[in-house]
Amino acid sequence: MGIGSTILDNIQNLEDIESHEEKLYKILEVYMNVFPVKNAYLFRYSPLGFIGEGIIALTCHGLIHIRDIRDDIRSLPLIYSALYERKAKYCSGIEYLKQINIKYITTSNVNSFLATPICFGAVPIGYICTNEFDEHGKISDQQLSSYTQFGQHVGKTLEKTEGKEDARLLSRREMEVMKRISWGESIKEMADSMLISEVTINQYIKTAIRKLGAQNRTQAIAEMFRRGMIS
């Protein structure tokens, strides 16, 4: 089942949006409009660290920030499978209880879960999760194909985002350290490869967090992705 021309038109229109933050919001808005879903949670993914970081979500309550969510996606089999195979994955019923971490089970009447990977070519860089749907029953393989294609086209759109002005907010070293954190590198690994002390790296991190107006590393990385400073 191919993705419809109307959906493609909506995705292509995203390229005209200059603000990376607005683009992320519009991606979820398009997703909610074209698919029978009631919520959409956007996560950034670091392939090197297997880390999933919450960015924003659209629900019945509107737009919310989910920057405090940070997971090793190897503990979430359905999401891991979707990213590894670069295909949308769906589960329901008993499989939902087996594969989804308890913190993602938001209400007692929710028993389905969909993970749609967002890819730059063959590299997954994020994913959209949904656990409430307009229609009951299983999502077919044909429908999953449409979700997969949506993630592929969205990835191409995000790849063109530059975010140059916000990138100037941090120094070169601060940017390098924060990028390495986003990849999942430890302080020790950075110190060894960058040939600087762990104390210096921690100072770069502290300064970057302050400049970004964040409370911790997780929020800082999510903020950098939201602004288009990292992908």
Side-chain angles (χ1 to χ4, degrees):
M1 180 178 179
I3 195 166
S5 59
T6 301
I7 299 177
L8 280 176
D9 289 342
N10 278 306
I11 295 173
Q12 288 171 354
N13 288 338
L14 296 173
E15 296 180 8
D16 298 327
I17 300 174
E18 294 185 2
S19 164
H20 188 69
E21 181 178 13
E22 184 181 356
K23 185 175 290 187
L24 295 179
Y25 169 76
K26 288 295 184 181
I27 284 170
L28 295 189
E29 188 175 63
V30 171
Y31 176 86
M32 295 272 287
N33 287 337
V34 300
F35 293 121
V37 299
K38 292 184 177 179
N39 59 29
Y41 293 78
L42 176 64
F43 291 80
R44 179 188 175 274
Y45 173 59
S46 171
L48 295 182
F50 298 100
I51 301 299
E53 297 166 318
I55 306 298
I56 57 173
L58 268 184
T59 71
C60 60
H61 302 294
L63 178 68
I64 59 175
H65 288 277
I66 53 172
R67 298 186 300 181
D68 290 327
I69 302 178
R70 181 181 173 93
D71 289 307
D72 183 331
I73 59 91
R74 290 171 293 188
S75 67
L76 301 165
L78 187 83
I79 296 174
Y80 180 79
S81 176
L83 292 169
Y84 180 77
E85 298 181 29
R86 299 183 295 282
K87 293 180 180 179
K89 297 287 183 176
Y90 171 82
C91 68
S92 62
I94 191 66
E95 285 302 313
Y96 172 70
L97 297 176
K98 287 180 180 178
Q99 298 204 45
I100 303 304
N101 189 298
I102 188 67
K103 70 181 176 182
Y104 290 90
I105 303 176
T106 51
T107 61
S108 59
N109 64 335
V110 170
N111 64 357
S112 300
F113 194 89
L114 172 70
T116 300
I118 298 173
C119 301
F120 286 178
V123 179
I125 55 91
Y127 52 96
I128 299 172
C129 292
T130 292
N131 64 1
E132 293 187 46
F133 303 84
D134 292 338
E135 300 172 357
H136 298 290
K138 283 191 173 184
I139 292 179
S140 69
D141 289 341
Q142 286 186 324
Q143 290 171 316
L144 280 178
S145 176
S146 291
Y147 286 98
T148 297
Q149 291 178 57
F150 179 87
Q152 292 169 345
H153 286 289
V154 164
K156 292 178 183 177
T157 298
L158 286 177
E159 196 171 8
K160 298 175 181 177
T161 303
E162 297 183 353
K164 290 181 179 178
E165 300 219 351
D166 281 321
R168 299 193 193 103
L169 178 66
L170 305 182
S171 70
R172 180 182 62 81
R173 276 299 205 186
E174 288 163 357
M175 275 294 297
E176 182 179 2
V177 166
M178 296 308 289
K179 280 183 178 181
R180 286 173 179 265
I181 288 177
S182 77
W183 298 338
E185 284 192 20
S186 68
I187 301 297
K188 185 179 186 309
E189 287 172 332
M190 280 188 273
D192 290 343
S193 62
M194 296 172 69
L195 302 178
I196 54 179
S197 72
E198 294 183 22
V199 172
T200 300
I201 288 174
N202 279 316
Q203 186 57 50
Y204 284 137
I205 294 170
K206 182 178 179 180
T207 304
I209 290 173
R210 177 180 55 78
K211 287 181 178 180
L212 290 163
Q215 300 298 314
N216 51 50
R217 298 179 195 182
T218 301
Q219 287 189 6
I221 295 301
E223 182 68 11
M224 291 175 73
F225 181 83
R226 182 183 67 79
R227 295 186 185 204
M229 296 167 71
I230 59 174
S231 59

